[in-house]
């Protein structure tokens, strides 16, 4: 049989990520022997060896690499289907089954912390005025986290920003284009300039560029590793770093910050993005609203 069970797929993916049966069993909350037997049964059913086991440890075969890639996407799709189905039926919101007024559709919109508040307000207010509007839960995320949230069903739609986010595999609607600014300590000499170039802010003595995580890793460089917007705001105010942001970030700047336009930074295009296969009527309504902004 070619069909895979989600349980055995989850078992294999955990082992493939850990490359250690003991650690994988601990993550799964089970004993190691039944986990090993489950992976062996999966190999027999598929007719291929997925893992090479020896005294040095565990390694993925070529077939195992393929199943790691394809299986993760399949498991995300299964999880996403369950999450979105519950929200479509109102199970995740206060108007869920048994609640006042009966089931109400529920949409989750992922947004990057620090993105345009004005645009988000316009979108939410315009959609709320529509008849039969679903309940919208706004889910703040870190840089580049929106893609994963759409793929595994934590979000139904997301505000994504090119060139920082990839729109591969998603449908999208362009909402806004804006320039970029350098966010500097207000007392720094560069803060008095009318404009700056990327070269001006890329190698400032004592003021390295902040580094955001992308896909779980930080790019190389001397700048501090940034985990959230509040941390970034404080480090800029203390004169420890500089950051490049879309112009709309001016809305969250502190008195200790200065914003200087960047003349050669690429424009940032904000899109409303959603899974290409979506058939949600509530999401269709949100998309129609977005196109009319």
């Amino acid at each position: 049989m070619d069909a895979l069970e989600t349980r055995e797929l989850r078992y294999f993916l955990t082992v493939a990520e850990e490359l250690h049966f003991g650690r994988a069993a601990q993550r799964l909350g089970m004993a190691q022997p039944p986990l090993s037997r489950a992976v062996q049964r999966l190999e027999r059913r598929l007719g291929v060896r997925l893992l090479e086991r020896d005294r040095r440890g565990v390694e993925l075969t070529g077939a195992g690499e393929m199943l790691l890639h394809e299986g993760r996407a399949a498991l995300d799709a299964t999880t996403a289907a369950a999450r979105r189905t519950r929200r479509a039926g109102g199970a995740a919101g206060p108007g869920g089954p048994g609640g006042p007024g009966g089931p109400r559709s529920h949409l989750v919109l992922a947004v990057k912390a620090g993105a345009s508040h004005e645009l988000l307000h316009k979108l939410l207010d315009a959609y709320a005025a529509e008849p039969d509007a679903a309940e919208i839960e706004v889910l703040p995320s870190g840089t580049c986290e929106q893609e994963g949230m759409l793929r595994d069903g934590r979000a139904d739609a997301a505000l994504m920003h090119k060139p920082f986010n990839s729109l591969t595999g998603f449908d999208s609607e362009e909402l806004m284009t804006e320039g970029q600014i350098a966010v500097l300590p207000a007392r720094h000499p560069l803060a008095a300039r009318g404009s700056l170039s990327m070269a001006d802010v890329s190698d400032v003595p004592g003021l390295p560029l902040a580094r955001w995580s992308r896909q779980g890793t930080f790019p190389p460089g001397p700048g501090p590793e940034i985990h959230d917007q509040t941390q970034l705001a404080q480090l800029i105010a203390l004169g420890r770093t500089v950051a490049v942001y879309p112009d709309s970030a001016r809305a969250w700047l502190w008195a200790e910050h200065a914003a200087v336009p960047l003349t050669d930074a690429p424009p940032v295009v904000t899109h409303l993005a959603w899974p290409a296969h979506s058939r949600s009527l509530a999401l269709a309504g949100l998309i129609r609203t977005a196109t009319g902004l």
Side-chain angles (χ1 to χ4, degrees), residues 181-269:
I181 56 174
V183 183
L184 300 143
R187 296 182 180 182
H188 195 277
L190 289 178
R193 299 269 293 272
S195 63
L196 294 166
S197 68
M198 287 297 298
D200 291 330
V201 298
S202 295
D203 190 20
V204 182
L207 199 67
L209 276 167
R211 293 182 294 140
W212 287 95
S213 170
R214 294 198 177 192
Q215 284 76 51
T217 60
F218 289 90
E225 295 181 354
I226 302 301
H227 299 278
D228 58 58
Q229 186 179 315
T230 301
Q231 177 201 15
L232 174 64
Q234 187 171 38
L235 289 175
I236 294 174
L238 291 172
R240 301 300 177 90
T241 191
V242 58
V244 174
Y245 254 86
D247 188 76
S248 56
R250 294 175 186 269
W252 59 260
L253 298 188
W254 300 358
E256 294 89 348
H257 299 154
V260 182
L262 290 166
T263 57
D264 57 351
V268 176
V269 184

Side-chain angles (χ1 to χ4, degrees), residues 112 114-121 159 161 176 178 248-249 270:
K112 185 179 75 174
S116 174
H117 302 300
E118 182 180 357
L119 175 63
L120 184 57
H121 273 301
L159 291 184
H161 313 277
M176 180 177 75
E178 59 184 319
S248 56
T270 300

Side-chain angles (χ1 to χ4, degrees), residues 5 7-12 14-15 20-22 24-26 28-44 51 53:
E5 297 178 1
R7 182 177 61 177
E8 65 185 7
L9 187 55
R10 185 171 66 254
Y11 287 175
F12 166 76
T14 306
V15 175
H20 191 282
F21 275 90
Q26 188 174 19
L28 291 164
M30 63 187 298
Q32 183 173 332
L35 174 60
S36 181
R37 290 194 295 269
V39 173
Q40 289 170 353
R41 284 196 301 270
L42 177 60
E43 289 178 317
R44 288 195 298 269
L51 302 167
R53 310 160 179 84

